[in-house]
Structures are given as C-alpha cells and as structure tokens.
Amino acid sequence: MKPFSFALFVMTNVAIAANPTSATTGPTDVTSICEAIEATVSSVSQVYHYGPEYDNDIFHWASSSTQHAACSFDPATPEDVGIALQILGDNRCPFAVKGGGHATNPGFSSTTGVQIAMTKFSEVTYDPQTQTAIIGAGLVWDDVYAALEEYGVTVAGGRFTGHGLTIDTVQAYELVSPNGEVVNVTESSDPDLFFALKGGYNNFGIVTRFTLKTFSQAQVWGGTIFYPWTVVDQVTIATANFSANSTDPKAQVIVLYNYGAELVPFISAMLFYDGPTPSPGIFDPFLVIPSLSKDISTRSLVSLVRSFPSNVTEGQRGVFNTISTSGYSVELLQEFASEALYWGTQLSPFSGVLFSYIVEPFLPTIFSHNATPSAYPGSRERGLFPLAIYFGWMLPSSDELMRNATRMSAAKLSEKAISLGDSIPDAPLYNNYAISDTPLERMYGDNLQRLRSIKQEVDPNNVMGLAGGFKF
Ligand SMILES: Cc1cc2nc3c(=O)[nH]c(=O)nc-3n(C[C@H](O)[C@H](O)[C@H](O)COP(=O)(O)OP(=O)(O)OC[C@H]3O[C@@H](n4cnc5c(N)ncnc54)[C@H](O)[C@@H]3O)c2cc1C
Ligand SMILES: *[C@@H]1O[C@H](CO)[C@@H](O)[C@H](O)[C@H]1NC(C)=O
Ligand SMILES: *[C@@H]1O[C@H](CO)[C@@H](O)[C@H](O)[C@H]1NC(C)=O
Ligand SMILES: *[C@@H]1O[C@H](CO)[C@@H](O)[C@H](O)[C@H]1NC(C)=O
Ligand SMILES: *[C@@H]1O[C@H](CO)[C@@H](O)[C@H](O)[C@H]1NC(C)=O
Ligand SMILES: *[C@@H]1O[C@H](CO)[C@@H](O)[C@H](O)[C@H]1NC(C)=O
C-alpha cells in the first residue's frame, strides 16, 4: 500500500518567481558579462543561455529556490572559476554558486545574474594510503557513497551520524579565492581560512574539491516505516525512549510527523544501523507498532540511502526552519505532532502539499568529534539536535504565508522546548536548516567576530557579497 500520493496536485508548470535582486549590474550588462566569461575561459568550461544544460544549472530541489539567471556557467577547472570570479567581481555583477541545489532559501544559490553550477566537479578519488577521498563540489551524497562502495569505504555525509558533523571530517579544501587565485586550504596551511570554510558557506570563495576522511563501510540495516496517525502515541513514546536511552553510535532514527496532500496526517520513521544486524531491542519498539508499510532489510548503504523518501516533494516550493533541542521528551514530541496537524489543516487549502516536523535524535556527543575549530557551531559546549520544520506547497502566491507560518511554529515550539527543559533560550541554530532571515549570531555565536575579520582579509572587495546567502 502506498501510504500517500500526490494525486490531488497534478504537477503543473508553476511560474518561477521573477524576483530581481538589487542588481548592481543591469540585465543587458549581465549578458555582456556572460559573453566575456565565455570568451575568456578555456574550452572545457561552458556558458549556457537556454536549453537542457541551462535548465539543469538553475534547477533546485525546491522550485521556490530557482530563478531565471541571465546565463549559467559550468566551469570545469578551478582556474576557469577564478577567471569568472574576477570578471564578476570587477563588474560588480550578481551571481550564485550552486552545489547540490538543496537550499530552500531563495537567492542563496540562485540569481538573476550569472548562475555558476558546479556539476562538472564530479570527481571521486579514494586514496587507501591516507584513508581519504577527494570529492568534487558538484556531487550529491548518494553519488559519492555509490562511487566509494567498491572500496568498502564511505564518508560522513548527509543523513548519517556516528562520525559527528561532515565538516569535522574535512582534511582539505581546494578553494578559488575571491581574487581568482586557486589555493589548497588545510589546518596547517591556513588555520583561519580552514576554520572559516567549515560551515561558512560561500563567504570566502568557491570550493572546487573537498578531501574527506573515509570510514570502512560494510552492509547496513534499515529502511523506512510508514505509520497511520492512530499509532502516533506509540511512535512518540518509542522516539522519546530512543532519544533518552540509546547510546549506540551505530544506531539512528529519523522520525517525521507529517500532514500530507490527501489531507491525512501520517508518521514516517527512517531506521539505520551501521552494521548488518542491530543489537536486539534497539529498534524493537518501532518494529512492533502496527504500520502501513515497512521496507526494512540488510542492504548496502547506497541502497538504503536511495530507499529513503527524500525526493517525494522535489520540484515543489518549500522552506526549512528549525529549533534546537538537547532532548526530545514525550511532551515536546506531542507538541510537534499537534503543530503538524494544526498547520496542515490551516494551510492545505493554500496549495500545501506536505507539512513535516523532522526529529533527529543524535547523541549528545555529536559535537565532540572535531580535532580543529570550525565556524559552525557557535559553541560546542553542549550537543544540540536540530528539529527540521519543512513545509512544501505549489503556488508562488503562498510563499510568504508558508514561510511566516514556519516562523510562528518555530517560535512556539522553541518556547515550549525551553519550558519543558528540552532546550535553552537562544540555543544555537543549525545553519543548514535555518530560514534566510535567521540572525547570524544564532548560528555562529562567538565565532562571528572571527569570521567577519577573516572575511575582511580574504575578500576586501566583497566579491562574494555579490552572491546571496548568510553573509559575514
Ligand atoms: C531532501 C533534503 C534532505 C536534507 N538532508 C540533510 C541532512 O541529512 N543533513 C543536513 O545537514 N542537511 C540536510 N539538508 C539540508 C542541506 O544540507 C542544506 O540545504 C545544504 O546547504 C545543501 O547544500 P547544497 O550544496 O545541496 O545546496 P546549494 O543550494 O547548492 O548551496 C547551499 C549554499 O552553499 C553555497 N555553496 C554551494 N556550493 C558551493 C561551493 N562549491 N563553494 C562555495 N559555496 C557553495 C551556496 O552558494 C549556498 O549558499 C537536506 C535538504 C534536503 C532538501
Ligand atoms: C591542491 O591539491 C590537489 C590534490 O592534492 C592537487 O591536485 C592540486 O594541484 C592542488 N592545487 C594547488 C593550487 O596547489
Ligand atoms: C526503550 O528502549 C529499550 C531499548 O533501548 C527497549 O528495550 C524498551 O523496550 C523501550 N521501552 C519502550 C517503552 O519503548
Ligand atoms: C529510558 O529507559 C528507562 C529504563 O528502561 C525508562 O524507565 C525510561 O522511561 C526511558 N526513558 C524514556 C523517555 O522512555
Ligand atoms: C533525487 O533527485 C536527484 C536530483 O535532484 C537525483 O540525482 C537522485 O538520483 C534522486 N534520488 C532518487 C532516489 O530518486
Ligand atoms: C508575513 O509576516 C510579515 C511580518 O510579520 C507580515 O508583514 C506579512 O503580512 C506576513 N505575510 C503573510 C502572507 O502572512
């Protein structure tokens, strides 16, 4: 049985938001800058004005993050990235850098100027000697996992825990500086810039390659279970128990309280064990609850990741927002469930498709894996777990309504979490889930001063300020 479908909303071509940024360079001039880039870069890099490559370059997971760029640029070498950055900087031309294109904040990796798409940086090179892998900046994680599978290793990418934050496993960045120079940044070559790049997004230049630590990887266990809302209390109790009592770094669950397109609430749980068979008991509380469907098995990591329903709302408009907790009590989880019901009911009539409250109960040791300082998180004093609030919808006219609603919901839940002792006032927020107007202090805390001075040093002409995003 398919627990939910999107039959109510036939996928129509929803107009892309024409949302001109405060351009320092007008549209006609941008066209001439596109031509200048095309004329100056090497023949392996491409500029597109329309067509399938252009469409692919401006494409985002959430269509509300897509803008019509004057042209797209697919660099194939760091040197060509450098040439483009110099031309863009000299002409004060707005641009954007897109890696995976998963940002839901409009303008963070989209522009009406020049869209740089990193797709041609798709290298995956494993070095067994150093147990590292070089990863191109245009890849998505499942392709990285797939390429590393034959070596029996993986990297700590999205959706997985046990090894801490991905940034804690970075050994080196190949960076095109705002002045066009290509440099390799490591802890020993440039500790300031290395710190800044670990969580600092596009403020310091454009990253072309990452060198990541690898971990040996064999068969894993897990998959997805869909539950009807009638068992919401049982899933909540199991989730609170897992959050409070699970200590095995190989075990992880992600639980989603959802309100879907067919005007029904439902729950989904993604279970993961980093080994072929979980110790008995860890997941039993989830497995015994009556479900709508259950796709759990021992499988490869790639098979598991590809089985997760991460793409069901791809192409729709969407927003993420977040609060941070240090625990998930039954009472707090019940509040998430009730928010999903409330906003789902309120906002479905406004072309709402999916309303999810995504619970990721990591271990409190999540911030203890780092060897060197990083831009994010602002403080490593205590482990924090990000709740992701995700709303998906169809119509551009609902954009502000939906974004506002996630702000109201986050404010309410944050207050509730504090009152239950599950959070503290001003708990640092996870930048990957934070909505666009989140104050920088809430994500970067005391690191912000240092980040601002590094930024000033590396990019005195504020070339990277021509690209959107969280800006230092
Ligand atoms: C289905 C889904 C699942 C997710 N799951 C997780 C998860 O498990 N864990 C998690 O942490 N997050 C998760 N996220 C959030 C995601 O990690 C963030 O949105 C992240 O910023 C996406 O990176 P991207 O390169 O795909 O996005 P993009 O939109 O391409 O870029 C995001 C930002 O990074 C900048 N940037 C991109 N490439 C470069 C580059 N080469 N050099 C310099 N700056 C660059 C962009 O300019 C932009 O500001 C998920 C998002 C979605 C949609
Ligand atoms: C950066 O390091 C990579 C991998 O070691 C190397 O191939 C590349 O040439 C280096 N780039 C620079 C600018 O030193
Ligand atoms: C709590 O989790 C443990 C395993 O960590 C399990 O043995 C126990 O049955 C769970 N209790 C409930 C009420 O889910
Ligand atoms: C954690 O486990 C203990 C002992 O089994 C149990 O009493 C407690 O209720 C559990 N915590 C939660 C939140 O379920
Ligand atoms: C999800 O969509 C991306 C494109 O955004 C694609 O590369 C990937 O293969 C898709 N994954 C699955 C499991 O369909
Ligand atoms: C969103 O919130 C802002 C600020 O509170 C308000 O001005 C605006 O009218 C709201 N828009 C919608 C569509 O709710």
Side-chain angles (χ1 to χ4, degrees):
M1 172 177 176
K2 227 176 153 218
F4 62 96
S5 77
F6 296 94
L8 263 184
F9 295 96
V10 179
M11 289 291 265
T12 49
N13 253 330
V14 178
I16 288 164
N19 199 0
T21 50
S22 52
T24 35
T25 305
T28 330
D29 299 337
V30 177
T31 306
S32 64
I33 286 160
C34 295
E35 284 161 8
I37 292 172
E38 192 167 16
T40 319
V41 296
S42 76
S43 61
V44 287
S45 300
Q46 310 290 335
V47 171
Y48 299 102
H49 298 271
Y50 56 86
E53 291 90 354
Y54 170 88
D55 291 344
N56 200 41
D57 287 349
I58 65 165
F59 178 84
H60 284 72
W61 182 84
S63 58
S64 42
S65 297
T66 299
Q67 286 179 287
H68 275 305
C71 66
S72 72
F73 175 48
D74 283 17
T77 68
E79 291 71 26
D80 285 346
V81 173
I83 291 169
L85 269 185
Q86 283 173 293
I87 294 172
L88 293 163
D90 289 349
N91 292 283
R92 305 302 303 162
C93 177
F95 69 97
V97 189
K98 191 188 81 168
H102 278 69
T104 55
N105 288 324
F108 275 41
S109 53
S110 66
T111 179
T112 53
V114 175
Q115 174 79 63
I116 301 177
M118 301 304 287
T119 28
K120 286 188 196 288
F121 291 92
S122 58
E123 166 192 9
V124 179
T125 309
Y126 174 55
D127 179 356
Q129 230 72 56
T130 55
Q131 293 181 28
T132 59
I134 296 177
I135 308 294
L139 290 158
V140 293
W141 289 118
D142 43 335
D143 295 333
V144 176
Y145 303 148
L148 291 173
E149 194 169 44
E150 63 173 294
Y151 307 107
V153 299
T154 195
V155 290
R159 294 272 125 164
F160 289 98
T161 181
H163 307 300
L165 304 170
T166 302
I167 49 171
D168 291 342
T169 69
V170 179
Q171 315 284 300
Y173 292 92
E174 186 181 68
L175 177 76
V176 184
S177 300
N179 66 7
E181 196 189 337
V182 185
V183 288
N184 279 324
V185 183
T186 64
E187 169 65 13
S188 52
S189 80
D190 191 337
D192 277 337
L193 200 45
F194 192 60
F195 155 85
L197 287 170
K198 291 196 280 179
Y201 293 109
N202 62 6
N203 284 282
F204 305 97
I206 298 181
V207 174
T208 40
R209 306 204 286 185
F210 303 85
T211 306
L212 302 181
K213 195 170 174 239
T214 57
F215 301 90
S216 63
Q217 184 66 61
Q219 293 276 98
V220 301
W221 176 97
T224 305
I225 307 181
F226 289 99
Y227 299 103
W229 200 257
T230 47
V231 299
V232 63
D233 290 339
Q234 285 162 266
V235 178
T236 292
I237 288 166
T239 307
N241 184 19
F242 182 91
S243 178
N245 286 326
S246 164
T247 51
D248 187 342
K250 292 178 182 295
Q252 181 61 35
V253 301
I254 301 182
V255 175
L256 297 90
Y257 295 95
N258 306 295
Y259 191 94
E262 285 177 341
L263 310 182
V264 284
F266 63 97
I267 308 153
S268 41
M270 297 184 245
L271 310 187
F272 171 66
Y273 190 76
D274 190 5
T277 327
S279 322
I282 299 183
F283 298 106
D284 285 0
F286 291 95
L287 296 171
V288 299
I289 301 169
S291 61
L292 297 167
S293 74
K294 197 186 288 186
D295 167 29
I296 305 276
S297 62
T298 299
R299 60 219 299 182
S300 71
L301 176 65
V302 175
S303 148
L304 177 70
V305 170
R306 294 204 164 138
S307 79
F308 287 149
S310 311
N311 271 1
V312 283
T313 56
E314 183 178 349
Q316 288 153 12
R317 308 182 81 77
V319 61
F320 282 111
N321 208 329
T322 191
I323 70 163
S324 287
T325 77
S326 46
Y328 288 113
S329 62
V330 167
E331 293 78 6
L332 184 61
L333 295 170
Q334 282 170 339
E335 201 69 20
F336 298 166
S338 100
E339 286 287 286
L341 273 185
Y342 174 78
W343 290 111
T345 315
Q346 291 291 307
L347 298 180
S348 283
F350 300 92
S351 79
V353 176
L354 186 62
F355 302 84
S356 299
Y357 288 73
I358 307 167
V359 181
E360 301 174 325
F362 297 129
L363 289 176
T365 51
I366 183 163
F367 292 154
S368 68
H369 299 262
N370 69 312
T372 59
S374 55
Y376 176 86
S379 159
R380 290 189 183 246
E381 212 170 295
R382 57 157 73 196
L384 283 169
F385 318 137
L387 167 80
I389 302 172
Y390 167 76
F391 289 3
W393 67 96
M394 299 301 284
L395 296 174
S397 55
S398 297
D399 285 3
E400 275 321 298
L401 179 69
M402 297 289 176
R403 289 177 189 137
N404 275 6
T406 68
R407 290 185 186 103
M408 283 186 250
S409 191
K412 180 176 175 191
L413 290 175
S414 171
E415 211 170 290
K416 185 79 186 179
I418 294 165
S419 76
L420 290 168
D422 280 335
S423 189
I424 51 166
D426 297 328
L429 298 173
Y430 184 41
N431 49 4
N432 267 352
Y433 296 162
I435 196 165
S436 57
D437 57 359
T438 303
L440 295 176
E441 288 79 3
R442 287 299 305 276
M443 298 172 282
Y444 298 100
D446 292 343
N447 289 339
L448 193 53
Q449 279 311 103
R450 183 174 174 199
L451 288 166
R452 286 195 165 129
S453 73
I454 298 167
K455 155 80 187 166
Q456 189 57 37
E457 178 111 347
V458 176
D459 189 14
N461 298 325
N462 197 21
V463 172
M464 298 313 294
L466 296 162
F470 294 124
K471 293 285 118 178
F472 301 136

